[in-house]
Amino acid sequence: MTTIVTIPGIMSDARTWSTIADALKCEGTTVHVADTSSDMTLEGVAARALSEAHGELIVLAHSMGGRVAMEMGRQAPKRIRAMVLASTNAEGPDVHEAPQREARIAEANADMIAYARGWIPKVISAASMRNADLVSRIQEVVEDCPPEVHERQNRALLVRPDATTYLGTFEFPVLLITGSEDRLSTAVAHDAIAGMLQDAESVIIEDAGHLLPLEQPRRVFETIKDWLSRKALHRPEYSTRKIR
């Protein structure tokens, strides 16, 4: 059995990857959505996902979820068939990061809806901002995140492991994808991660920002499908019918 494990980023949920994972799903595969809301550390999130997902894993991870995915690769490298890292980074916490995250936590705890609405324009592309339906759907996802989950996730990120110390040990293939307008996880950062890996490819998707899987799901699907095909992991019954 192969399980497609989807891992959302901060303030996100199953909707991040749902249409993409459903389109990739084929006979002999199941989809498992990792719980990123309950644990105090990213190592704990990774361990939970590994215990709850069965068989060999194809991991689709976004932003904070990418850091969880890398930790899964460290904890159980033999179970990973392939890993897709969207809009992520790999380094440990910066010395100046704590005050910034504490400010975000305080702002979200005071008014999560206002915080979410102020955050979205900073993390999506100009084209995405002009799509009112897309903005509304993203807003719904982010506003559904309880403030206590947002705080737990930020505190987990403040004690995250430095994945750059072990990425070179990964033997499974890794696809890195980022948006052309992503200012948080840039193409330069992804290229640096790719350079640490044994088998990696880095792709830029135009007209997308940091919320890439939500902004450009069809392009993300096609990119992943083509990559899996070249890695001999593609199944012909993959469909785009659920991608909008």
Side-chain angles (χ1 to χ4, degrees):
M1 174 187 290
T2 297
T3 300
I4 299 172
V5 179
T6 66
I7 316 177
I10 195 168
M11 295 186 293
S12 300
D13 58 25
R15 288 169 282 187
T16 300
W17 288 105
S18 59
T19 56
I20 297 167
D22 284 348
L24 287 171
K25 184 180 175 182
C26 55
E27 186 177 354
T29 66
T30 59
V31 175
H32 172 75
V33 181
D35 177 3
T36 59
S37 65
S38 302
D39 295 282
M40 301 300 294
T41 66
L42 300 189
E43 295 96 320
V45 178
R48 181 190 296 270
L50 288 166
S51 69
E52 293 178 348
H54 302 291
E56 294 184 319
L57 311 177
I58 295 175
V59 183
L60 311 180
H62 173 248
S63 191
M64 179 192 74
R67 298 180 182 276
V68 174
M70 294 177 216
E71 178 62 19
M72 291 172 67
R74 186 192 69 80
Q75 292 183 19
K78 298 302 183 183
R79 291 188 61 193
I80 312 296
R81 293 186 69 193
M83 182 177 290
V84 177
L85 301 175
S87 307
T88 195
N89 292 284
E91 77 290 339
D94 183 87
V95 292
H96 306 295
E97 191 172 325
Q100 297 172 346
R101 289 199 180 275
E102 291 293 347
R104 294 174 196 170
I105 289 169
E107 188 177 348
N109 284 345
D111 190 336
M112 186 64 189
I113 292 177
Y115 175 78
R117 292 181 178 179
W119 180 73
I120 291 169
K122 301 174 185 177
V123 294
I124 64 176
S125 70
S128 294
M129 275 301 297
R130 293 191 293 270
N131 185 333
D133 179 63
L134 173 62
V135 171
S136 178
R137 284 187 278 117
I138 291 174
Q139 206 161 278
E140 183 177 309
V141 171
V142 179
E143 289 178 5
D144 283 348
C145 176
E148 60 271 20
V149 170
H150 171 263
E151 179 169 355
R152 190 176 301 123
Q153 291 172 338
N154 271 282
R155 297 204 182 282
L157 284 164
L158 278 173
V159 293
R160 66 184 180 268
D162 182 355
T164 65
T165 62
Y166 59 75
L167 287 176
T169 65
F170 290 176
E171 297 180 355
F172 49 81
V174 179
L175 172 66
L176 295 118
I177 49 176
T178 191
S180 60
E181 297 179 43
D182 191 336
R183 295 177 291 276
L184 300 178
S185 304
T186 65
V188 172
H190 273 210
D191 286 346
I193 295 172
M196 302 175 200
L197 293 160
Q198 297 182 35
D199 182 354
E201 183 175 330
S202 186
V203 175
I204 301 170
I205 294 181
E206 297 298 320
D207 295 324
H210 189 65
L211 301 189
L212 173 61
L214 291 166
E215 294 179 71
Q216 295 286 356
R218 180 177 288 273
R219 292 188 193 174
V220 170
F221 166 76
E222 292 290 349
T223 300
I224 295 172
K225 181 191 70 172
D226 291 347
W227 177 73
L228 289 174
S229 177
R230 286 186 277 109
K231 294 297 178 182
L233 294 167
H234 171 67
R235 301 291 285 275
E237 58 267 40
Y238 288 162
S239 170
T240 62
R241 66 187 185 277
K242 298 179 182 178
I243 304 290
R244 58 177 177 173

